[in-house]
Amino acid sequence: MRVLAINDISCVGKCSLTVALPIISASGVTCDILPTAILSTHTGGFRGYTFRDLSEDIPAILDHWKSLGLQYDIIISGYLGSVEQIEMVKAAKRSLLKEGGLMVVDPVMGDNGILYAHFDGHFVEEMKGLCREADVIVPNLTEACFLTGTDFAAVKESDYAQILQKLAALCPRPSITGCDVSRTENGKPTTRTAVFYTGDDGKVRSYETEKIEGSFHGSGDVYASALVGCLARGVQTDRAVAIAAEFTKNSIKQTALDGTEARYGLNSESQMLGFLQALDQAVREG
Ligand code: PXL
């Protein structure tokens, strides 16, 4: 199994390729990387970061790989710095994804209802185009709202399934992370968090975990990478979503316990063994 992760290298802040490479590789598959940019830190919560756009190098990299006859079972794209890079991902898919391979798009654009620095409405439209070429997309709720023209501030719990269905018009297997749901536990009202997703049978499903208060940078990258690791090992979607969601929740929980600043990313390293054990069990149980 050969996976290609297209994403930036944020040198500090544990997201994008510094998360994708260790998690996907540890899942037991080859993970090659296509870095889209090198930043001193990610753009969420830091000022004065450097940003080296690597677009100029990408066509030659793709040509070299083509000359080597490289072909991928899964390609996952994440943070893309420009519309031009969206086109490059499409080109990478055309020339490097195996027939019947899986294109996974994490449409990284924003969080908490707002777009990250450098993104605008035009970029959102182009990202929609990339999602149309994907088999699986993994936006958070903010990104799902931008992709579907939904007002984030007005979203209610009862809207999640409908937003998912709108995403299904773009891509056959969408999911939405970070969907807060109200539940009652021991007679008390509590909030949990859920992934809403389209199952392999095309039906709307959700997987809930404990909600840890706060906003934790890099959660989406941990989730998407773990999901791809599971799918690359042949795990069915329901189980893959559950394993990835538990790993992400455990990583957030440990990060909250550690008390590190959210902008420095998740302590997913401490939860890697548990993730791999769950993955191994899923693989053995078929
Ligand atoms: O975690 C998503 C992400 C990836 N890469 C860069 C980012 C962000 C989110 O802020 O800025 C460069």
Side-chain angles (χ1 to χ4, degrees):
M1 252 310 146
R2 198 168 198 113
V3 176
L4 174 62
I6 307 176
N7 215 326
D8 72 87
I9 297 176
S10 289
C11 301
V12 170
K14 290 199 277 191
C15 64
S16 35
L17 282 184
T18 68
V19 165
L21 179 56
I23 293 176
I24 298 172
S25 299
S27 301
V29 296
T30 297
C31 182
D32 294 338
I33 58 166
L34 181 58
T36 54
I38 298 182
L39 297 85
S40 52
T41 66
H42 59 72
T43 67
F46 292 98
R47 281 162 180 262
Y49 49 80
T50 68
F51 191 123
R52 164 85 53 197
D53 187 327
L54 297 178
S55 297
E56 222 181 284
D57 295 358
I58 293 176
I61 293 173
L62 297 180
D63 283 347
H64 185 212
W65 290 349
K66 248 190 280 178
S67 78
L68 296 174
L70 287 173
Q71 287 280 286
Y72 291 92
D73 300 283
I74 301 182
I75 297 180
I76 172 163
S77 71
Y79 184 95
L80 302 169
S82 62
V83 167
E84 192 191 1
Q85 290 196 338
I86 291 177
E87 291 308 313
M88 288 173 182
V89 172
K90 290 182 187 170
K93 182 198 167 192
R94 279 194 300 273
S95 63
L96 298 171
L97 188 64
K98 268 186 196 163
E99 184 88 25
L102 200 69
M103 183 72 208
V104 181
V105 171
D106 183 358
V108 176
M109 292 188 292
D111 207 358
N112 302 312
I114 50 174
L115 292 176
Y116 294 133
H118 314 295
F119 296 133
D120 58 15
H122 177 53
F123 186 87
V124 173
E125 281 309 306
E126 296 298 319
M127 185 57 90
K128 266 192 218 172
L130 182 59
C131 290
R132 284 195 189 94
E133 297 211 8
D135 302 293
V136 175
I137 56 173
V138 289
N140 60 28
L141 184 58
T142 298
E143 292 152 351
C145 285
F146 278 106
L147 290 171
T148 57
T150 309
D151 177 9
F152 177 86
V155 171
K156 299 180 299 306
E157 217 175 300
S158 53
D159 298 329
Y160 298 147
Q162 203 191 351
I163 299 172
L164 188 74
Q165 268 153 0
K166 283 191 189 162
L167 287 177
L170 294 177
C171 154
R173 285 159 67 189
S175 61
I176 312 172
T177 55
C179 298
D180 283 1
V181 289
S182 316
R183 296 286 177 257
T184 306
E185 261 171 30
N186 304 323
K188 279 200 210 137
T190 43
T191 303
R192 289 173 62 78
T193 190
V195 180
F196 274 68
Y197 66 100
T198 306
D200 291 332
D201 58 1
K203 295 212 174 99
V204 174
R205 288 164 202 264
S206 64
Y207 183 85
E208 286 177 24
T209 55
E210 178 187 350
K211 179 176 170 66
I212 292 105
E213 277 314 319
S215 178
F216 294 84
H217 200 275
S219 310
D221 303 84
V222 171
Y223 175 79
S225 306
L227 185 77
V228 163
C230 291
L231 296 176
R233 295 295 306 280
V235 176
Q236 296 303 300
T237 299
D238 288 329
R239 191 105 184 240
V241 167
I243 293 171
E246 291 294 337
F247 177 39
T248 309
K249 180 263 292 171
N250 291 337
S251 301
I252 292 173
K253 207 166 176 176
Q254 187 57 51
T255 307
L257 278 174
D258 295 346
T260 46
E261 283 182 57
R263 64 182 178 164
Y264 282 102
L266 292 189
N267 180 351
S268 61
E269 301 88 346
S270 64
Q271 306 305 311
M272 185 76 98
L273 184 58
F275 162 62
L276 295 180
Q277 283 166 340
L279 170 56
D280 185 54
Q281 194 177 345
V283 169
R284 276 189 284 109
E285 289 171 7

